[in-house]
Amino acid sequence: MSRVLAVDDTRALRMMLGECLKKGGHEVVLAVDGVEALDKLREHKPDIVITDLNMPRMNGLDFIEAARKEPEGKSLPMLLLTTETAQALKDRAKAVKATGWLTKPFDPNQILALVEQLS
């Protein structure tokens, strides 16, 4: 069992991702944006992060970049989950050291397999 920090500003998607992970036997911590996710990262010390890209206050790329500067986030697996496909965004994801890029809608089995593999 892993502790997963799931970050998405869309309540329905956040709940769906949380339920998927719980059914896979994982503990889930939810956050609505990058600002809240940084607080939850420090407080809960997750084993893996799955974050949306486009969110208010702090997007997923800025969150990952900020999290990599935190002791809890230096080597933490962090996956982006987004509808975006632009190569420039994928290049920025590599630059901020995102672990992976997943596209919505997500396949629950793929998410669970990645969490098992990375945590």
Side-chain angles (χ1 to χ4, degrees):
M1 180 180 93
S2 299
R3 181 177 299 144
V4 183
L5 173 56
V7 189
D8 201 302
D9 62 320
T10 304
R11 184 179 186 282
L13 197 75
R14 194 173 56 246
M15 295 298 116
M16 191 177 347
L17 184 56
E19 287 303 313
C20 166
L21 293 164
K22 286 178 186 173
K23 284 182 182 174
H26 303 288
E27 181 181 334
V28 180
V29 178
L30 300 174
V32 299
D33 59 34
V35 173
E36 184 178 30
L38 277 176
D39 291 339
K40 301 261 174 129
L41 175 75
R42 294 176 190 122
E43 182 181 352
H44 295 281
K45 300 179 179 30
D47 300 305
I48 187 167
V49 173
I50 302 172
T51 181
D52 186 16
L53 176 62
N54 296 313
M55 300 179 288
R57 298 201 306 164
M58 180 185 287
N59 70 38
L61 292 169
D62 291 342
F63 162 68
I64 291 173
E65 186 171 40
R68 291 286 184 222
K69 296 175 184 171
E70 300 284 330
E72 298 84 359
K74 285 197 182 304
S75 60
L76 187 66
M78 292 191 238
L79 301 169
L80 281 157
L81 180 60
T82 181
T83 58
E84 298 286 346
T85 58
Q87 188 60 47
L89 291 170
K90 291 180 180 179
D91 291 344
R92 175 130 192 267
K94 286 181 185 174
V96 299
K97 300 179 183 169
T99 307
W101 184 281
L102 304 168
T103 53
K104 295 176 185 174
F106 67 89
D107 174 352
N109 293 325
Q110 180 188 21
I111 294 282
L112 291 173
L114 278 170
V115 169
E116 292 294 326
Q117 178 185 348
L118 294 171
S119 56

